[in-house]
Amino acid sequence: MAATDVEIARLPASVELKRPARSLWSDAWHQFRRHRLAMAGLFTFVTLVVFVLVGPLVYHTRIDNIDFTMSLKGPSPEHLFGTDDLGRDMLARAILGGRVSIAVGITSVLLAITLGLTIGALAGYFVKLDSPLMRLTDLFLSLPILPLLLVIVYLFRDSLRAAFGPELGIFLMIVGVIGILNWMPVARLVRASFLSLKQKEFVEAARAVGDPDSRIIMKHIIPNVLSPVLVAATIGGAILTESTLSFLGLGFPSDTPTWGRLLYDAKDYIDIAPHWAFFPGFLIFLTVLSINYVGDGLRDALDPRKTS
Amino acid sequence: MGRYVLRRLLIAIPTLIVISFVVYAILALAPTDPLASFGADPRVPPEVRERIRESLGLNEQWHVRYVKWVIAIAHLDFGYSFMSRSPVMDLIWQRLPNTLAVVGVAYVIGVLLAVPIGMISAVKRYSVFDHFSTTFAFIGFSVPTFFTGLLLIIIFSVKLHWLPFIYDSTLKITSLSTLGDQIRQSIMPITVLALFDTATIARYTRAEMLEHLPLDYVRTARAKGLKERLVVLRHVLRNSLIPVVTLVALGIPAVFGGAIVTEQIFRVPGIGELLVRSIGQGDTPVVAAILLIFATLVVLFNLLADVLYGVLDPRIRYS
């Protein structure tokens, strides 16, 4: 008898062990892992980030080692990505360029999301602010972004360089400009979610227990609004924009390599040194493609209609 | 309907005014001097420079200058280019045909390819075709246009010598062989742009079709015995195309922006190339004019998209 008692006492525990609690995120991760291309994208992106972060610690070739005897050589065991017109090692330049490109992408997206979240939240929560803020959003959406970006960068480059130094100045400007011209879609989405969420019971409950507006917005609504899909979608776009600017010769100065800048320098030599243009271009493509696939996987994983 | 269009028009006007102000403010705040090219010349004495400033109206208050500028633009007078001394409008009219021949054709091709691709991959979801077109679409909008352009040049011009990599705008189409030349030199820039446009629009069409396919009206159409072809083409496609049409209209101004890069790679002397060149030379009147034209296009096509949406979907108009 004693033995059965023990068995019965054990039973519920063992049943519980078989099926652990599932949260939204473990569900999403479960779903995400089944999306093979998204997993491949995540793997590629992480590899690229490790490549640019750890690269300089392992690979010691200097980016500004000028050697004219090695000028415009294709890939070789000594220089895996080949060399440019001054004989500088392209692998080292591509690693450093990736640091700048990915840093610009992530920072400018943080800025765009912060701006978009603030404006969207204010417009969605406070009825009085809705109409003026949405007018402002529509106005920004009507601006021709790329041409305007080109003009701003060209006109204000020198004064920023004087104020913050050549690298930080340009970095701040490019991040700032991309952020300021890309927050509008975020603001629109956030506003739409706020409009529907603020009618929900849990918000009403929070108000009933006396939470101030700031706490309702920050603690109750925003966690429901933020979607990683949004982040993924905008990072790819920001990296593309930076490389486009650099490619048009209006990004970073030539002593700061970024993937776009390397392509810009390479484009006049594509007939004799195609490898020079290929590697940075391929890295941009790989980064953006992997981010887009991760975004696609996240969209599927977080869509409650698809969870099985 | 008339009142709806009128209301949308009335919203567009203040938007344009504010945009003109933003463009003006950016150019006016910039720490560049329109007389910089004179400044470097020591033969121009300061009094003369002052008189030139006076005659150009540069010493007046900024708001006076802004109002004068807007009034001139309202008469389609964009002033004269600092560099070529010819009217800005003439420069733009010279460049416009080149841009339209490349960008316009690419967009039309993109739309014509994208709608069937999106439709088929939605109807045959998860088929080989769908996987192929999805991968193609992802590559299409992940690869930067400048990289596709350079890649095509490396393959088809440098290695294979099939296509010329510089666009010759002086080419006049007089015979079959010059027509062939025109086609040959347009293939690469058009492919680059069309790849991007097709990818975006096909993806969107597919998503819209997938939203509509499981709906009740589709089941009704099937239940009354319509052929599957008719169900898809008459019912699903028509309804799914409503948002696609507006996306196509909204995309037109962005296409002009994207053309900046493509025109730069293939040296097409179009509007985008003119903009980049004028920015580099500090040619403010040309820059201002192109920015304003782009902004007007955006506002105009936003308006068009809204009106089209209203025409195609009567539910929108009354809300």
Side-chain angles (χ1 to χ4, degrees):
Chain A
M1 273 301 132
T4 27
D5 270 352
V6 172
E7 263 170 35
I8 289 166
R10 266 190 192 158
L11 199 59
S14 65
V15 168
E16 238 170 276
L17 274 179
K18 264 186 201 152
R19 195 161 186 284
R22 292 173 72 179
S23 68
L24 167 71
W25 290 109
S26 73
D27 256 359
W29 172 240
H30 187 75
Q31 192 76 17
F32 185 82
R33 268 199 337 220
R34 298 210 315 219
H35 196 312
R36 265 179 297 158
L37 284 168
M39 280 306 279
L42 186 65
F43 178 75
T44 314
F45 185 63
V46 171
T47 314
L48 279 166
V49 171
V50 171
F51 168 71
V52 302
L53 285 182
V54 182
L57 303 177
V58 186
Y59 189 76
H60 292 292
T61 311
R62 288 172 54 85
I63 62 157
D64 46 3
N65 222 351
I66 296 174
D67 178 2
F68 286 106
T69 57
M70 286 302 292
S71 153
L72 295 175
K73 290 275 189 298
S76 63
E78 203 180 329
H79 300 283
L80 282 176
F81 281 14
T83 56
D84 65 4
D85 55 339
L86 302 177
R88 294 177 294 193
D89 181 66
M90 278 305 295
L91 177 57
R93 292 179 76 74
I95 292 174
L96 210 77
R99 274 193 177 185
V100 182
S101 291
I102 294 179
V104 168
I106 293 177
T107 328
S108 53
V109 165
L110 284 181
L111 180 65
I113 300 252
T114 316
L115 271 175
L117 199 61
T118 316
I119 291 175
L122 290 176
Y125 194 82
F126 300 105
V127 182
K128 273 194 185 152
L129 291 177
D130 190 17
S131 166
L133 284 180
M134 280 301 114
R135 276 287 142 72
L136 184 75
T137 313
D138 285 343
L139 189 81
F140 266 85
L141 279 170
S142 316
L143 293 173
I145 296 196
L146 186 63
L148 211 57
L149 218 63
L150 293 176
V151 174
I152 296 175
V153 171
Y154 175 74
L155 292 176
F156 295 94
R157 188 159 55 169
D158 293 329
S159 30
L160 270 159
R161 194 179 286 173
F164 295 100
E167 275 158 36
L168 186 66
I170 303 279
F171 184 83
L172 286 179
M173 180 181 64
I174 289 183
V175 164
V177 171
I178 296 179
I180 289 169
L181 293 175
N182 279 306
W183 55 270
M184 298 81 75
V186 183
R188 276 199 162 176
L189 284 173
V190 169
R191 168 182 172 268
S193 319
F194 257 76
L195 286 181
S196 75
L197 283 173
K198 75 174 178 187
Q199 313 283 347
K200 293 271 155 69
E201 283 88 351
F202 70 88
V203 174
E204 213 168 296
R207 196 171 290 131
V209 296
D211 274 357
D213 284 335
S214 60
R215 199 180 147 81
I216 295 180
I217 294 178
M218 298 298 288
K219 290 269 169 181
H220 297 284
I221 306 186
I222 283 188
N224 286 299
V225 165
L226 260 189
S227 145
V229 179
L230 220 64
V231 183
T234 25
I235 291 183
I239 291 179
L240 275 185
T241 312
E242 185 274 321
S243 48
T244 307
L245 280 181
S246 294
F247 182 76
L248 293 172
L250 285 164
F252 286 85
S254 60
D255 43 341
T256 314
T258 74
W259 287 338
R261 178 76 213 190
L262 294 177
L263 261 179
Y264 173 74
D265 293 335
K267 75 170 195 293
D268 295 328
Y269 294 91
I270 46 171
D271 44 347
I272 39 180
H275 68 274
W276 187 5
F278 177 78
F279 288 110
F282 185 70
L283 285 171
I284 298 174
F285 164 62
L286 209 61
T287 313
V288 178
L289 185 71
S290 63
I291 294 175
N292 282 342
Y293 268 120
V294 172
D296 193 50
L298 281 172
R299 190 186 351 258
D300 284 359
L302 291 171
D303 185 352
R305 280 173 299 180
K306 280 198 69 178
T307 315
S308 50
Chain B
M1 198 60 215
R3 281 189 58 184
Y4 173 76
V5 177
L6 194 69
R7 210 173 58 209
R8 295 288 311 139
L9 259 175
L10 289 180
I11 297 177
I13 293 169
T15 315
L16 270 180
I17 292 176
V18 178
I19 289 176
S20 74
F21 188 74
V22 170
V23 169
Y24 181 82
I26 289 174
L27 291 171
L29 279 175
T32 47
D33 187 356
L35 292 189
S37 53
F38 290 107
D41 192 341
R43 285 172 301 175
V44 182
E47 315 85 76
V48 175
R49 199 172 303 156
E50 197 49 39
R51 234 174 295 143
I52 296 174
R53 293 187 71 85
E54 190 79 40
S55 70
L56 289 175
L58 286 166
N59 290 342
E60 284 181 78
Q61 294 277 306
W62 64 268
H63 56 265
V64 178
R65 277 154 58 194
Y66 171 71
V67 171
K68 283 188 168 173
W69 182 69
V70 168
I71 291 174
I73 282 171
H75 294 93
L76 284 181
D77 172 13
F78 287 99
Y80 290 84
S81 156
F82 286 162
M83 287 298 142
S84 65
R85 320 270 165 196
S86 52
V88 174
M89 268 332 259
D90 289 0
L91 285 178
I92 290 175
W93 282 122
Q94 278 168 17
R95 302 296 189 114
L96 194 63
N98 293 329
T99 295
L100 286 181
V102 175
V103 181
V105 172
Y107 201 57
V108 171
I109 292 178
V111 173
L112 290 181
L113 280 176
V115 171
I117 291 179
M119 186 183 75
I120 297 173
S121 69
V123 173
K124 306 241 189 272
R125 202 182 180 185
Y126 300 132
S127 65
V128 177
F129 182 86
D130 183 28
H131 282 300
F132 182 76
S133 73
T134 304
T135 315
F136 164 80
F138 263 97
I139 293 176
F141 56 70
S142 302
V143 59
T145 46
F146 47 83
F147 184 52
T148 352
L150 290 180
L151 216 56
L152 289 183
I153 291 181
I154 292 178
I155 299 173
F156 293 105
S157 304
V158 178
K159 298 280 177 215
L160 297 173
H161 298 289
W162 286 356
L163 302 167
F165 63 85
I166 290 184
Y167 189 92
D168 176 14
S169 65
T170 54
L171 188 75
K172 292 256 185 315
I173 301 171
T174 45
S175 61
L176 266 181
S177 76
T178 48
L179 180 70
D181 285 346
Q182 172 66 22
I183 292 175
R184 268 157 43 90
Q185 70 175 352
S186 312
I187 287 179
M188 287 198 294
I190 287 178
T191 313
V192 167
L193 285 169
L195 178 72
F196 183 78
D197 298 332
T198 313
T200 334
I201 301 168
R203 198 75 194 135
Y204 199 72
T205 311
R206 177 178 179 271
E208 281 304 320
M209 293 278 295
L210 287 177
E211 288 274 300
H212 280 269
L213 276 169
L215 292 187
D216 285 340
Y217 75 86
V218 182
R219 194 177 317 156
T220 312
R222 284 201 187 112
K224 71 180 184 189
L226 271 188
K227 280 186 198 125
E228 189 63 23
R229 259 176 60 96
L230 288 180
V231 174
V232 171
L233 289 178
R234 284 245 177 97
H235 294 252
V236 185
L237 184 65
R238 271 197 191 179
N239 282 311
S240 313
L241 279 187
I242 296 173
V244 176
V245 168
T246 61
L247 182 84
V248 170
L250 287 177
I252 292 175
V255 162
F256 279 89
I260 295 175
V261 176
T262 317
E263 289 181 0
Q264 202 68 19
I265 301 170
F266 295 101
R267 319 269 157 93
V268 181
I271 289 184
E273 204 264 348
L274 180 66
L275 176 69
V276 175
R277 177 189 301 245
S278 308
I279 289 175
Q281 293 171 335
D283 201 343
T284 318
V286 182
V287 176
I290 296 179
L291 279 183
L292 267 188
I293 290 173
F294 279 174
T296 315
L297 281 177
V298 178
V299 174
L300 216 67
F301 280 100
N302 272 338
L303 179 72
L304 184 76
D306 276 352
V307 172
L308 270 177
Y309 215 123
V311 172
L312 295 172
D313 190 346
R315 286 170 303 182
I316 305 294
R317 231 176 299 161
Y318 305 112
S319 59

